[in-house]
Amino acid sequence: MSYQYSPQIQSEYGLSGPLLFELIHDGPDNQIFVVTDAKKNKYALRVNKRQEKEVSFEVEILMA
């Protein structure tokens, strides 16, 4: 799932490829990856599994 976002992530955030994706959490609502670029910099990536929910929904849950 994460590899389909690789070109978009590289261009949007200016990361040098190829990117390595390591799944560290596979929950019911989202997946969390550690993304490592060619310079060995590490980033966190969260992929939402619930397409009907937006970020505002998650913010509301966190603020409650």
Side-chain angles (χ1 to χ4, degrees):
M1 179 178 215
S2 59
Y3 291 101
Q4 69 186 8
Y5 300 110
S6 187
Q8 179 184 354
I9 292 169
Q10 282 184 265
S11 65
E12 188 170 336
Y13 296 102
L15 304 181
S16 56
L19 301 179
L20 174 66
F21 292 84
E22 180 184 355
L23 180 65
I24 60 171
H25 175 74
D26 189 10
D29 295 328
N30 54 61
Q31 294 176 315
I32 308 293
F33 296 87
V34 172
V35 180
T36 306
D37 68 7
K39 296 179 182 177
K40 304 296 183 201
N41 296 315
K42 294 188 178 203
Y43 306 89
L45 169 67
R46 184 189 60 81
V47 178
N48 185 8
K49 289 182 178 179
R50 294 181 153 195
Q51 299 303 320
E52 73 277 1
K53 302 293 183 184
E54 296 180 11
V55 173
S56 59
F57 169 78
E58 295 178 12
V59 170
E60 289 174 17
I61 294 298
L62 291 172
M63 299 299 287

